[in-house]
């Protein structure tokens, strides 16, 4: 029973992370690429700004210490398929992979500006 209640509460919290705009609409840049900052702010910041449910916070390298050093490849896969308490695509399963990639890349750039490239 306790596990069921915990799972229900976690679902409600994750639903709160999923802001409106679940259609994945993110304005592109002048060259037609996806704006990673806009994608992050619209779809990811709700949890990653506060560290909700243990989400590693953008700009806080210590939050990422237990994560893989294979930065981009592993993070992009986890962002799309889910990892620990984060559901696939942050619970917004209809988000295009390109938007998820742009948001994750932005988060990495802000947190580890001098990281090695995969």
């Amino acid at each position: 029973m306790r596990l069921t209640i915990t799972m229900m509460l976690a679902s409600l919290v994750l639903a709160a992370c999923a802001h409106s705009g679940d259609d994945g609409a993110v304005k592109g840049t002048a060259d037609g690429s996806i704006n990673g900052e806009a994608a992050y702010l619209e779809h990811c910041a709700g949890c990653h700004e506060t560290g909700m449910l243990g989400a590693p916070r953008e700009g806080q390298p210590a939050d990422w210490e237990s994560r893989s050093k294979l930065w981009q490849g592993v993070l992009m896969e986890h962002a799309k398929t889910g990892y620990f308490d984060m559901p696939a695509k942050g619970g917004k399963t209809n988000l295009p992979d390109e938007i998820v990639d742009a948001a994750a890349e932005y988060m990495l750039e802000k947190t580890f500006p001098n990281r090695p490239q995969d």
Side-chain angles (χ1 to χ4, degrees), residues 63-78:
D63 287 4
W64 297 81
E65 286 179 354
S66 66
R67 303 311 201 269
S68 172
K69 299 296 183 215
L70 297 176
W71 305 113
Q72 291 159 299
V74 172
L75 177 68
M76 299 307 178
E77 185 64 24
H78 287 169

Side-chain angles (χ1 to χ4, degrees), residues 6-21:
T6 301
M7 293 301 290
M8 287 174 39
L9 287 173
S11 295
L12 290 172
V13 168
L14 288 171
C17 291
H19 303 292
S20 62

Side-chain angles (χ1 to χ4, degrees), residues 14-111:
L14 288 171
C17 291
H19 303 292
S20 62
D22 286 348
D23 63 352
V26 173
K27 291 180 176 38
T29 61
D31 67 2
S33 63
I34 295 170
N35 182 317
E37 181 178 14
Y40 167 77
L41 291 171
E42 185 172 340
H43 301 292
C44 308
C47 292
H48 286 282
E49 287 290 312
T50 64
M52 187 180 294
L53 293 176
R57 294 169 294 159
E58 175 260 316
Q60 300 295 319
D63 287 4
W64 297 81
E65 286 179 354
S66 66
R67 303 311 201 269
S68 172
K69 299 296 183 215
L70 297 176
W71 305 113
Q72 291 159 299
V74 172
L75 177 68
M76 299 307 178
E77 185 64 24
H78 287 169
K80 291 174 197 163
T81 62
Y83 189 68
F84 291 126
D85 289 331
M86 185 184 94
K89 299 181 178 186
K92 300 176 182 182
T93 57
N94 61 332
L95 277 180
D97 287 350
E98 296 80 14
I99 289 177
V100 176
D101 287 344
E105 181 63 27
Y106 169 80
M107 201 174 348
L108 280 179
E109 287 174 1
K110 295 304 282 184
T111 305

